């Protein structure tokens, strides 16, 4: 991946760097580590919110974090019985959801629940997306039904829409098209990635395109207005083109670009996620818990999509032998934040010097937390929550 630097707005950008394959272009040093959580407490998710960070963890707590020091801002809030999801609502607070089938909107200024949303028949919620006043939830398969539900935060007494027939297994991912928020994407362990036009009430008519990934979908989202990606639990990666979408009927599409298993291609044991923005190329987090590193690799379209493995940023040490669950980039500094199953949040800064070709620098994070009976060297892709 091209080496990072910050532009005038402080965002991470990726200039082109001519390097040989295998070169570690930059080394990211750990500059801060959060206080430890309890034994066997995982950090599930870390996201930026204004000038703070917000996290959820396996002790069912929501925490506000000071990004410079990674100190937790008292007090943490117990939010769900089995929290699974965390999303920011710009200027309003954060949304969380859990296996108790409840969505909560939390005001971070007062750390109180501003709104609570649930249906009469509750299903464990595994995925969450929001766009202005509309939120979408995706559920675990319960009583032979996996549901995508849309709510209007201004009128939460009844759902706006429900899609109950489009997936036949857990709904693991939801995302609104950033340029056309009426288009909603869903991904599922049934191997399908669906696109809905949420301005249409009838489910059969609203389902405008179906992509058959072929493997259980862990992550999916938009790379552009007309391209979506899917990453499976066994690290199979595909990109699909939506330009051939037919509005008159649900149209099943073949792979626009099938990459296959990313583990041998990116020299990793699992992929954390793919983080994309409208200001830089999408970034893939490819990690190894046995070798203890996380590589940030650019996904570029020149003109076809490919991984720039010749230039990467290495977070050496990562979260030691534990799985990295989450990664995000700060909006105002050249800092990378990660959360892991070691119970820590870590902040990383990209070093100025260039590492030598093929070198694995000994820059490691602080605050290793040992676990009794934890041996993940034989473990492949984790299943979330």
């Amino acid at each position: 991946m091209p080496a990072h630097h910050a532009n005038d707005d402080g965002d991470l950008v990726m200039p082109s760097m001519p390097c040989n394959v295998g070169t570690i272009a930059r080394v990211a040093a750990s500059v801060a580590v959060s206080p430890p959580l309890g034994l066997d407490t995982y950090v599930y998710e870390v996201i930026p919110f204004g000038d703070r960070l917000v996290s959820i963890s396996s002790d069912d707590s929501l925490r506000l974090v000071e990004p410079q020091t990674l100190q937790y801002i008292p007090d943490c809030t117990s939010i769900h019985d089995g929290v699974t999801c965390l999303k920011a609502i710009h200027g309003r607070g954060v949304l969380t959801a859990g296996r108790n089938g409840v969505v909560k909107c939390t005001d971070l200024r007062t750390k109180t629940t501003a709104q609570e949303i649930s249906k009469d028949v509750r299903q464990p919620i595994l995925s969450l997306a929001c766009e202005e006043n509309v939120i979408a939830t995706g559920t675990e398969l319960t009583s032979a039904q996996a549901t995508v539900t849309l709510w209007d935060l201004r009128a939460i007494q009844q759902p706006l829409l429900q899609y109950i027939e489009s997936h036949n297994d857990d709904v693991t991912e939801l995302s609104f098209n950033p340029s056309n928020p009426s288009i909603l994407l869903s991904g599922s362990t049934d191997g399908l990635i669906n696109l809905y036009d949420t301005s249409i009430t009838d489910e059969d008519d609203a389902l405008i395109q179906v992509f058959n990934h072929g493997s259980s979908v862990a992550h999916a989202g938009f790379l552009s207005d007309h391209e979506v990606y899917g990453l499976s639990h066994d690290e199979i990666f595909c990109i699909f083109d939506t330009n051939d979408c037919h509005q008159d009927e649900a149209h099943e599409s073949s792979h626009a670009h099938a990459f296959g298993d990313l583990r041998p291609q990116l020299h990793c044991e699992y992929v954390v996620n793919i983080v994309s923005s409208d200001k830089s190329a999408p970034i893939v987090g490819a990690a190894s818990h046995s070798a203890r590193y996380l590589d940030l690799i650019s996904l570029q379209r020149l003109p076809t999509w490919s991984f720039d493995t010749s230039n990467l940023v290495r977070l050496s040490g990562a979260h030691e032998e534990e799985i990295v669950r989450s990664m995000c980039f700060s909006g105002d500094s050249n800092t990378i934040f990660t959360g892991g199953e070691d119970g820590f949040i870590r902040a990383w800064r990209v070093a100025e010097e260039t590492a030598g070709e093929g070198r694995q620098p000994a820059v490691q994070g602080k605050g290793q937390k040992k676990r009794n009976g934890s041996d993940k060297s034989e473990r492949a892709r984790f299943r979330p929550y």
Side-chain angles (χ1 to χ4, degrees), residues 192-241:
L192 301 181
I193 299 172
N194 294 339
L195 291 184
Y196 312 88
D197 184 344
T198 62
S199 65
I200 300 173
T201 303
D202 182 78
E203 181 172 356
D204 289 338
D205 295 333
L207 182 62
I208 56 176
Q209 197 159 19
V210 179
F211 306 104
N212 190 351
H213 185 288
S215 296
S216 172
V217 175
H219 297 291
F222 290 93
L223 292 176
S224 68
D225 291 346
H226 303 291
E227 290 165 302
V228 301
Y229 71 87
L231 176 69
S232 69
H233 287 100
D234 54 358
E235 320 305 344
I236 305 298
F237 183 66
C238 301
I239 295 176
F240 305 90
D241 192 337

Side-chain angles (χ1 to χ4, degrees), residues 168-207:
N168 57 27
D169 212 335
D170 301 348
V171 181
T172 53
E173 190 73 274
L174 291 168
S175 179
F176 287 98
N177 187 314
S179 298
N180 185 0
S182 66
I183 303 300
L184 175 69
L185 173 150
S186 66
S188 169
T189 54
D190 63 7
L192 301 181
I193 299 172
N194 294 339
L195 291 184
Y196 312 88
D197 184 344
T198 62
S199 65
I200 300 173
T201 303
D202 182 78
E203 181 172 356
D204 289 338
D205 295 333
L207 182 62

Side-chain angles (χ1 to χ4, degrees), residues 290-312:
S290 61
R292 304 185 181 187
Y293 64 77
L294 170 63
D295 286 342
L296 305 180
I297 302 170
S298 175
L299 177 60
Q300 298 182 329
R301 186 172 187 176
L302 300 170
T304 59
W305 289 103
S306 63
F307 294 102
D308 185 7
T309 55
S310 63
N311 297 280
L312 58 85

Side-chain angles (χ1 to χ4, degrees), residues 1-2 4 14 262 265-268 271 273-275 281-287 293-300 306-314 327 329:
M1 184 181 76
H4 289 79
M14 300 178 213
L262 292 185
Q265 299 176 53
L266 304 184
H267 307 288
C268 66
V271 175
N273 206 341
I274 297 170
V275 178
I283 299 172
V284 178
Y293 64 77
L294 170 63
D295 286 342
L296 305 180
I297 302 170
S298 175
L299 177 60
Q300 298 182 329
S306 63
F307 294 102
D308 185 7
T309 55
S310 63
N311 297 280
L312 58 85
V313 172
R314 172 153 295 183
M327 64 181 194
F329 302 97

Side-chain angles (χ1 to χ4, degrees), residues 32-46:
V33 181
S34 67
L37 301 178
L39 186 65
D40 293 325
T41 299
Y42 299 169
V43 176
Y44 283 155
E45 191 76 46
V46 182

Side-chain angles (χ1 to χ4, degrees), residues 85-159:
C85 309
L86 172 65
K87 298 291 182 182
I89 309 177
H90 297 295
R92 299 178 60 179
V94 294
L95 290 171
T96 55
R99 301 189 65 84
N100 59 354
V102 175
V103 178
K104 291 184 179 182
C105 179
T106 301
D107 186 332
L108 293 178
R109 297 167 297 179
T110 62
K111 295 187 178 178
T112 58
T113 300
Q115 289 177 296
E116 186 169 313
I117 303 169
S118 64
K119 296 188 297 183
D120 293 336
V121 178
R122 295 183 179 181
Q123 298 171 271
I125 297 173
L126 302 181
S127 51
L128 184 64
C130 58
E131 177 61 38
E132 295 295 334
N133 291 307
V134 177
I135 68 169
T137 61
T139 72
E140 184 176 88
L141 183 69
T142 306
S143 300
Q145 190 173 92
T147 307
V148 175
T149 305
L150 279 80
W151 303 82
D152 188 331
L153 289 173
R154 298 163 295 186
I156 61 174
Q157 292 77 19
Q158 294 292 330

